[in-house]
């Protein structure tokens, strides 16, 4: 008995045919559809079924055999082989996948993984991507920095637990400029702010406890806390910030172990928490003994006036653990972020960091230290703000022209994002799929709030100005079409 | 009631006095000795007790107040304040510290953390450190590489899940040269081989399962698997390799989920598994369906003749997951390693990597790709082998001269290490402490095998040649003294 095949590779997409075939077969085996011992049709037969050259099938088979998924016996054809790693990787370890996210109604919507898959393909216009455009990369400065480093770096060994001292010294100076007093020993260098979140999840939180966070939130698009069996409990936010009464009431009931906030140019809404709300939030959290994690990775990207000081700058009692990163303001590929907090907490996180990867790249750490000490970073930030302001204003102009009446939004004062509210008759899934077919990659709002089915996260940071214009025009048309249909 | 203090900072060590005071107070609070509300003696009084200037105490107090551990009320003196983070970080999350290591008899011996603390202090001779000496860093090549990169790098964004493609392509070519067929899609770039182990612990293994490994082993010095509630089950090894009968018998009984091996210039013994033993081991593991993780980070550091091919090169069925790194052969600070295996496993590990830190530093990835493609890496390896050979031979000569009769060792054929067996009357703890007082930092054998109380891991890779000579001479004297005492 041979398996049934009624599938063909898609010749219109950029993925090589043999890879499509390989992945098709792989999925069948991994999903347990084609069990061990299953006979696979001959290469000739498959070439016919798939409507490809035989050599294409051979290529796919070769890799599948190398991976141990298929087994070819001369004269006996090809069979699915017992593959221990694939069996192995499908016995999901208990916790990694036990997602403890509360209030999810719609689990099977387009996921981050789908987006990751499309991102490397250059033909798509990415209207939601949360990183600075390659155009915004300060190439000349980087050239100069690398030249300087080449004479400075004597060796690149394992670093001190908390990271390269010259970098922590520079960060200490930088932090002072935004109102935060921190000696180098209370700063931990991490491989991006995301890693800080992972270290917190591994090192500070009890399994089964909950994190309070804004609704919507960047954190909801991640798995890092859920994987450590920590729940996310999102709390509604208005222009005044968190619903503080709710926090007070619910802290005990929910076994909340910390509050996560991204108060400055919030991802995905662009929101800025007013100074007064920051003070109130800090006060309440001190009162009820709820530590705060303040994620401030967009702080430097203000476009009109500088934002209020960090909550951390108001904190006299070590209530706040503060996260920063150069990913948004300079370059995500350097993978450098920092955590600032009471020294015992920093010590604990540093110890875990050592146990997981022996520290961040020294080369990256040197590069960022040099960016800071040379004054290039400040110079670059100015350029960055100017370019981002142009992009924001362009985006707002197109929205004004093409989206009036079919969407609602607010003007962001900084950061990357516009939180676009669509009519509730639009299916976000259908919109995502239709846009993708027309070459536009979107970030649907439900990534950041599972219950939010009518929002898109737009980003003016990534696509080129031409792409922003074309992409948004096309998006408006698609939305109008979908509206007419419904 | 004031607290009792009968302690003074140590003026003979390199740690600043105010930091010693700070850590003293911090420990008292963290350990719960000084509870909330405890009154602290005045700064004047403390300066007297500690026999330091008052300004030194002020400095320590300032930081402790900033960390939220102390609270100064004008007119009312200083008190221990309820600090939520310190309370917090001492409620150890259930699993991180539930170390499931079997067969530990002696838990309270000098730990890795002690060693980490001394390592940054330049006055110590480090006779056990497992990294290449700064002398061995190819500074001129790095200068040239950075110059080339400065014109090559257009931008440094978030990378593809599995890492920078040009690097994976170079790795694919390199792997071919050591007998391993792997396309770029079955290679995952990681931030050092240690991270690969962490990803495996998070992504592939069931809680409560066990890993088979060599006794002694590098893995025994880590917490990464124990933290994920995975046990380590060490197996004795002789010149023929693992006790294969034992593996066969015990696999089921122990719920073993994989076998970890470091078969080439083993850390800490320097052992090389013969080709025949590799074949046998692979055969048995295939038969009993026990996946192998082959850690091969020392492969390129052969000093006499090239070692046997990797087990992975013999593997036709996807049984082996292969780990490599440039940490030992080029530079640990770049934090670049790789994992090679069946694509489904690599996919899974790549997904977890994305969730934990969005990938390794692009700058480091570019640097390593350039090292490989330029041919500099091969050139450097030759120089590295020559220098290491001189260091090894020097070390063996000193051992011959000074340690004959008081220790036993084997000549290593590559890597960094000599596994030095001492007389059983020597207490390894006393030796470690005495040597430390005399300025020598040792790596005691029980880090790698909790039951091994008579070994040191010597490394000829790190200390300068002069230090190796002085350090080993001094060590021989210390051992003789301890022997005479006993
Ligand atoms: C709010 C927020 N925090 C953290 C991160 C992660 O940044 P990094 O690249 O520093 O890990 C992001 C990136 O998307 C973000 O939007
Ligand atoms: C056997 C072995 N594997 C892995 C590592 C970790 O190396 P990396 O720096 O690549 O994380 C070491 C370093 O001590 C080692 O000895």
């Amino acid at each position: 008995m041979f398996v049934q095949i009624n599938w063909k590779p898609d010749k219109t997409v950029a993925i090589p045919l043999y890879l499509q075939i390989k992945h098709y077969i792989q999925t069948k085996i991994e999903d347990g559809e084609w069990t061990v011992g299953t006979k696979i049709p001959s290469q000739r037969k498959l070439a016919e079924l798939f409507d490809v050259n035989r050599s294409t099938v051979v290529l796919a088979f070769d890799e599948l055999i190398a991976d141990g998924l298929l087994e070819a016996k001369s004269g006996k054809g090809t069979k699915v082989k017992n593959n221990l790693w694939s069996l192995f990787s499908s016995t999901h370890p208990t916790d990694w996948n036990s997602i403890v996210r509360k209030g999810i109604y719609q689990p099977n919507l387009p996921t981050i993984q789908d987006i990751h898959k499309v991102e490397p393909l250059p033909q798509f216009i990415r209207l939601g991507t949360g990183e600075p455009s390659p155009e915004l990369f300060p190439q000349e400065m980087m050239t100069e920095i690398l030249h300087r480093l080449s004479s400075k770096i004597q060796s690149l060994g394992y670093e001190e637990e908390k990271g390269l001292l010259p970098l922590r010294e520079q960060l200490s100076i930088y932090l002072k400029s935004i109102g935060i007093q921190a000696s180098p020993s209370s700063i931990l260098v991490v491989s991006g702010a995301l890693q800080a979140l992972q270290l917190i999840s591994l090192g500070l939180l009890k399994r089964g406890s909950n994190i309070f966070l804004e609704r919507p939130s960047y954190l909801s698009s991640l798995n890092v806390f859920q994987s450590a069996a920590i729940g996310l409990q999102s709390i509604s936010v208005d222009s005044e910030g968190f619903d503080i009464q709710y926090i007070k009431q619910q802290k005990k009931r929910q076994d909340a172990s910390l509050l996560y906030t991204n108060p400055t140019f919030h991802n995905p809404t662009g929101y800025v928490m007013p100074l007064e709300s920051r003070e109130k939030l800090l006060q309440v959290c001190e009162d009820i003994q709820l530590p705060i994690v303040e994620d401030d990775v967009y702080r430097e990207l203000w476009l009109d006036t500088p934002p209020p000081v960090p909550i951390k700058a108001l904190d006299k009692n070590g209530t706040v653990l503060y996260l920063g990163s150069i990913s948004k303001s300079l370059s995500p590929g350097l993978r450098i972020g920092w955590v600032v907090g009471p020294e015992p907490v920093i010590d604990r996180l540093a110890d875990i960091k050592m146990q997981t990867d022996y520290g961040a790249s020294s080369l990256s750490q040197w590069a960022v230290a040099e960016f800071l000490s040379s004054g290039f970073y400040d110079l670059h930030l100015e350029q960055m703000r100017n370019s981002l302001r142009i992009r924001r204003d362009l985006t707002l102009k197109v929205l004004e022209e093409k989206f009036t009446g079919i969407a609602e939004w607010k003007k962001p004062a900084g950061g990357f994002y516009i939180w676009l509210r669509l009519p509730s008759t639009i299916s976000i899934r259908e919109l995502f799929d239709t846009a993708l077919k027309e070459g536009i990659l979107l970030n649907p709002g439900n990534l950041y709030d599972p219950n939010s089915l009518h929002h898109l996260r737009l980003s003016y940071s990534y696509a080129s100005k031409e792409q922003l214009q074309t992409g948004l025009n096309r998006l408006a048309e698609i939305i109008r079409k979908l509206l007419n249909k419904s």
Side-chain angles (χ1 to χ4, degrees), chain A:
Chain A
M1 257 297 291
F2 279 127
V3 293
Q4 296 279 325
I5 293 178
N6 41 22
W7 171 90
K8 274 190 180 40
D10 184 347
K11 294 188 178 173
T12 66
V13 301
I15 306 163
L17 296 177
Y18 89 95
L19 268 187
Q20 294 189 45
I21 295 172
K22 182 181 169 191
H23 279 120
Y24 170 76
I25 297 180
Q26 198 171 299
T27 315
K28 290 288 180 197
I29 297 174
E30 279 176 48
D31 292 353
E33 286 190 56
W34 297 5
T35 51
V36 176
T38 305
K39 267 198 187 166
I40 307 287
S42 72
Q43 299 177 341
R44 201 186 36 72
K45 178 84 192 151
L46 281 177
E48 216 173 83
L49 282 168
F50 291 152
D51 194 14
V52 297
N53 287 332
R54 184 156 162 210
S55 60
T56 307
V57 177
V58 171
L59 235 98
F61 268 45
D62 281 354
E63 294 208 355
L64 289 162
I65 291 169
D67 286 352
L69 286 169
L70 294 185
E71 176 177 42
K73 291 226 167 118
S74 46
K76 290 192 178 168
T78 308
K79 271 193 198 168
V80 174
K81 188 170 175 336
N82 191 356
N83 177 273
L84 48 159
W85 284 104
S86 65
L87 288 176
F88 199 47
S89 60
S90 68
T91 59
H92 298 300
T94 322
D95 298 291
W96 191 256
N97 286 290
S98 73
I99 296 182
V100 199
R101 192 184 292 174
K102 287 173 183 153
I104 292 188
Y105 293 161
Q106 324 282 338
N108 53 359
L109 280 160
T111 62
I112 296 277
Q113 282 100 312
D114 288 335
I115 293 176
H116 282 322
K117 265 175 215 137
V118 179
E119 277 179 345
L121 306 176
Q123 66 270 38
F124 285 92
I125 297 182
R126 293 155 61 173
L127 289 183
T129 296
E131 71 176 277
S133 164
E135 293 171 17
L136 300 174
F137 184 72
Q139 208 191 337
E140 278 173 34
M141 287 185 193
M142 186 52 116
T143 301
E144 178 57 27
I145 298 271
L146 290 178
H147 278 263
R148 291 187 189 184
L149 290 188
S150 68
S151 56
K152 241 183 196 169
I153 292 178
Q154 310 273 322
S155 114
L156 294 169
Y158 290 111
E159 295 298 341
E160 278 183 64
E161 279 193 343
K162 292 181 188 172
L164 192 74
L165 186 59
L167 173 56
R168 287 185 287 128
E169 284 167 349
Q170 287 302 321
L171 287 172
S172 174
I173 297 169
Y174 162 73
L175 288 162
K176 201 164 199 166
S177 78
I178 56 170
I180 297 173
Q181 294 286 346
S183 63
S185 61
S186 41
I187 300 172
L188 170 66
V189 177
V190 285
S191 307
L194 174 60
Q195 190 183 43
L197 297 171
Q198 204 223 1
L199 297 175
I200 292 169
S201 79
L202 290 178
L204 299 180
L205 302 180
K206 275 195 313 222
R207 303 167 64 80
S209 65
N210 283 298
I211 292 180
F212 283 167
L213 71 166
E214 286 127 355
R215 175 164 54 235
S217 172
Y218 163 68
L219 222 55
S220 299
S221 71
L222 302 179
N223 257 330
V224 53
F225 287 102
Q226 297 91 324
S227 298
I230 293 154
L232 299 184
Q233 183 64 43
S234 55
I235 295 179
S236 58
V237 175
D238 62 16
S239 61
E240 305 288 282
F242 278 101
D243 182 341
I244 285 194
Q245 284 314 316
Y246 182 85
I247 293 177
K248 268 193 184 164
Q249 287 161 11
Q250 296 290 314
K251 192 223 162 189
K252 274 271 144 48
R253 209 176 301 166
Q254 306 276 356
D255 188 12
S257 53
L258 64 77
L259 178 136
Y260 167 88
T261 177
N262 174 208
T264 312
F265 313 130
H266 179 265
N267 174 5
T269 65
Y271 165 80
V272 180
M273 191 187 293
L275 180 60
E276 213 185 313
S277 311
R278 292 173 192 233
E279 288 164 343
K280 265 195 213 143
L281 179 65
L282 180 62
Q283 188 58 57
V284 168
C285 287
E286 271 178 22
D287 290 351
I288 62 174
Q289 297 265 308
L290 183 66
I292 295 174
V293 170
E294 179 178 21
D295 183 340
D296 214 18
V297 301
Y298 296 98
R299 159 156 302 268
E300 294 303 330
L301 303 176
W302 50 270
L303 303 178
D304 302 322
T305 49
V309 292
I311 306 175
K312 180 69 188 164
L314 308 167
D315 173 28
K316 297 287 163 269
N317 301 291
T319 303
V320 179
L321 203 55
Y322 182 81
L323 312 186
S325 164
I326 51 130
S327 288
K328 308 301 171 179
S329 54
L330 174 58
S331 148
L334 288 171
R335 305 307 306 125
I336 296 295
W338 47 90
V339 191
V340 183
E343 209 170 311
V345 183
I346 297 301
D347 285 346
R348 169 123 179 98
L349 296 177
D351 181 50
I352 301 172
K353 169 113 176 102
M354 276 308 259
Q355 294 189 42
T356 58
D357 66 6
Y358 292 134
S361 158
S362 309
L363 189 54
S364 285
Q365 294 191 70
W366 276 109
V368 175
E370 191 66 33
F371 256 103
L372 289 166
S373 66
S374 61
F376 279 0
Y377 186 58
D378 286 333
L379 218 67
H380 162 70
L381 283 176
E382 245 172 76
Q383 294 173 4
M384 183 86 178
R385 287 184 200 117
N386 289 335
S387 312
L388 268 184
R389 193 176 304 113
I390 294 170
R391 290 164 161 271
R392 177 198 61 179
D393 293 345
L394 170 76
T395 303
L396 289 171
K397 192 169 144 273
V398 180
L399 287 178
E400 203 64 54
E401 286 168 13
K402 306 285 174 170
F403 286 74
T404 303
I406 56 170
E408 285 167 25
W409 63 93
K410 290 209 180 87
K411 175 181 173 174
F416 288 171
Y417 309 113
I418 295 172
W419 188 234
L420 197 72
R421 154 121 210 159
L422 302 174
S424 43
T425 48
I426 294 270
S427 147
I428 207 86
R429 161 108 240 176
E430 194 180 359
L431 180 59
F432 179 84
D433 290 342
T434 319
L436 201 63
K437 277 199 204 105
E438 307 222 359
I440 297 174
L441 181 62
L442 297 174
N443 282 44
N446 56 330
L447 291 176
Y448 311 97
D449 171 9
N451 297 321
S452 174
L453 297 176
H454 311 294
H455 284 94
L456 288 179
R457 181 184 86 173
L458 291 183
S459 163
Y460 43 84
S461 68
Y462 189 80
S464 70
K465 277 170 280 186
E466 296 67 40
Q467 285 183 323
L468 276 173
Q469 215 144 5
T470 339
L472 286 170
N473 281 336
R474 219 182 287 167
L475 180 62
E477 277 168 33
I478 296 171
I479 295 175
R480 285 185 202 281
K481 250 189 232 149
L482 293 181
L483 282 174
N484 285 339
K485 248 183 50 185
S486 67

